[in-house]
């Protein structure tokens, strides 16, 4: 099974810090590095701030093993949209992934189901991979409605896509109560129903279903063993290169574990 292991840096890192992180990870992936034998089914990706996109792309090079993304993009290709960046601009800077609908953007920047739908279409139109984030607040979880809530977010953003388009979409389930400094790591049993609900709604139709929210070196492997989880989307733990490299190593090991248990 393909595993997507990526990080968004959110609003962090100077150009020097971006360069250091990228060089460290590239060195690990290079022949002789600790990740030189990273299995083919592991897909690493990094989503820097816009200011570092072109720099990181330059370091990674064309056709890099590591895919590059942006944290947001506008749905129009160009025009009078002060402060925004378009999908063609992101693509020009080397991006292959467009993150869409992170809860921080929904909460602070007016992202709606309608705008996520427009942005998913814009990414697909230009051949980029949409990484759609869905996730419920605490109150919805307390009401026992997590699965219905995130399926509705996904259905809104993906409405009207055909099979070929759906097969290019990544979804990251990121419960708001688990994200960031004030979040708490999820217990594995809390992830079972949300992932089952997404997998049932889109049976083998999507490119992958990732988990994000307080992923760390202690819980990463367990999360990857939850049914239907095919990746990790990580903030704080991956902001230092050693943490990210270790997550990739754990992901490679997780697959070996499940192969061993099948034997
Ligand atoms: P975190 O962030 O890993 O720092 O909790 C996750 C996210 O917002 O994607």
């Amino acid at each position: 099974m393909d595993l997507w292991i990526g990080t968004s840096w959110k609003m962090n890192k100077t150009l020097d810090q971006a360069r250091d992180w990228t060089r460290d990870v590239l060195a690990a992936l290079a022949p002789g590095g600790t990740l030189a034998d990273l299995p083919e089914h592991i897909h690493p990706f990094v989503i820097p701030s816009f200011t570092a996109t072109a720099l990181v792309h330059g370091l990674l090079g064309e056709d890099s093993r590591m895919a590059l993304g942006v944290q947001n993009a506008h749905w129009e290709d160009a025009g009078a949209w002060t402060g925004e960046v378009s999908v063609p601009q992101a693509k020009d800077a080397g991006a292959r992934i467009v993150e869409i609908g992170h809860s921080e953007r929904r909460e602070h920047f007016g992202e709606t189901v309608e705008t996520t739908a427009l942005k998913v279409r814009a990414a697909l139109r230009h051949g980029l991979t949409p990484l759609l984030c869905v996730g419920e607040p605490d109150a919805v979880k307390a009401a026992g409605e997590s699965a219905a809530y995130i399926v509705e977010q996904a259905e809104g953003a993906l409405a009207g896509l055909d099979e070929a388009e759906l097969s290019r979409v990544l979804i990251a389930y990121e419960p708001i109560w688990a994200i960031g400094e004030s979040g708490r790591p999820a217990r594995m049993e809390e992830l079972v129903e949300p992932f089952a609900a997404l997998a049932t709604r889109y049976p083998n139709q999507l490119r992958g279903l990732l988990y994000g929210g307080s992923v760390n070196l202690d819980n990463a492997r367990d999360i990857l063993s939850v049914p239907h989880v095919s990746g990790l989307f990580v903030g704080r733990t991956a902001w230092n290169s050693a943490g990210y490299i270790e997550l990739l190593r754990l992901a490679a090991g997780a697959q070996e574990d499940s192969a061993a248990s099948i034997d």
Side-chain angles (χ1 to χ4, degrees):
M1 179 171 68
D2 284 346
L3 288 183
W4 302 82
I5 309 293
T7 178
S8 161
W9 293 345
K10 306 194 181 186
M11 196 173 72
N12 293 295
K13 292 199 191 296
T14 61
L15 294 181
D16 276 347
Q17 291 167 336
R19 190 179 289 113
D20 287 347
W21 187 99
T22 307
R23 284 188 175 149
D24 288 349
V25 175
L26 284 175
L29 288 166
T34 51
L35 295 172
D37 295 326
L38 191 70
E40 283 299 313
H41 66 266
I42 309 254
H43 303 285
F45 65 92
V46 58
I47 309 191
S49 297
F50 281 113
T51 51
T53 310
L55 169 81
V56 173
H57 177 58
L59 293 167
L60 295 178
E62 299 295 334
D63 303 322
S64 166
R65 176 73 196 272
M66 168 109 78
L68 178 66
V70 289
Q71 297 175 22
N72 178 39
H74 198 269
W75 57 86
E76 292 288 343
D77 289 358
W81 298 96
T82 299
E84 291 290 308
V85 170
S86 73
V87 174
Q89 287 177 310
K91 186 175 178 177
D92 181 50
R96 287 190 253 157
I97 296 171
V98 182
E99 182 181 352
I100 296 166
H102 189 281
S103 60
E104 288 151 17
R105 295 212 56 85
R106 293 182 198 251
E107 182 182 352
H108 304 298
F109 303 102
E111 192 84 88
T112 63
V113 169
E114 289 71 31
T115 59
T116 59
L118 289 167
K119 291 175 180 191
V120 166
R121 269 165 197 68
L124 291 171
R125 189 164 71 238
H126 293 285
L128 274 68
T129 299
L131 170 54
L132 174 72
C133 300
V134 299
E136 82 285 7
D138 232 346
V140 170
K141 177 175 169 53
E145 290 164 4
S146 304
Y149 186 92
I150 62 169
V151 166
E152 200 174 311
Q153 284 182 322
E155 286 177 337
L158 307 182
L161 298 188
D162 63 26
E163 289 291 316
E165 289 166 328
L166 280 177
S167 73
R168 294 165 49 202
V169 172
L170 296 170
I171 290 184
Y173 170 50
E174 302 209 323
I176 296 170
W177 46 267
I179 290 177
E181 292 297 340
S182 55
R184 68 156 175 90
R187 295 186 299 275
M188 296 314 117
E189 61 270 23
E190 294 176 301
L191 303 185
V192 172
E193 195 190 340
F195 275 96
L198 289 168
T200 302
R201 175 61 185 83
Y202 298 102
N204 295 317
Q205 287 177 301
L206 303 172
R207 197 154 180 201
L209 288 177
L210 288 64
Y211 175 76
S214 294
V215 173
N216 58 45
L217 299 180
D218 293 326
N219 64 16
R221 228 156 148 146
D222 288 341
I223 295 170
L224 287 171
S225 69
V226 172
H228 311 294
V229 173
S230 54
L232 301 171
F233 190 27
V234 187
R236 291 157 296 158
T237 297
W239 290 344
N240 71 67
S241 54
Y244 182 64
I245 290 165
E246 186 58 17
L247 283 170
L248 287 173
R249 239 181 37 76
L250 288 171
Q255 205 84 357
E256 281 161 22
D257 287 352
S258 64
S261 66
I262 291 164
D263 298 346

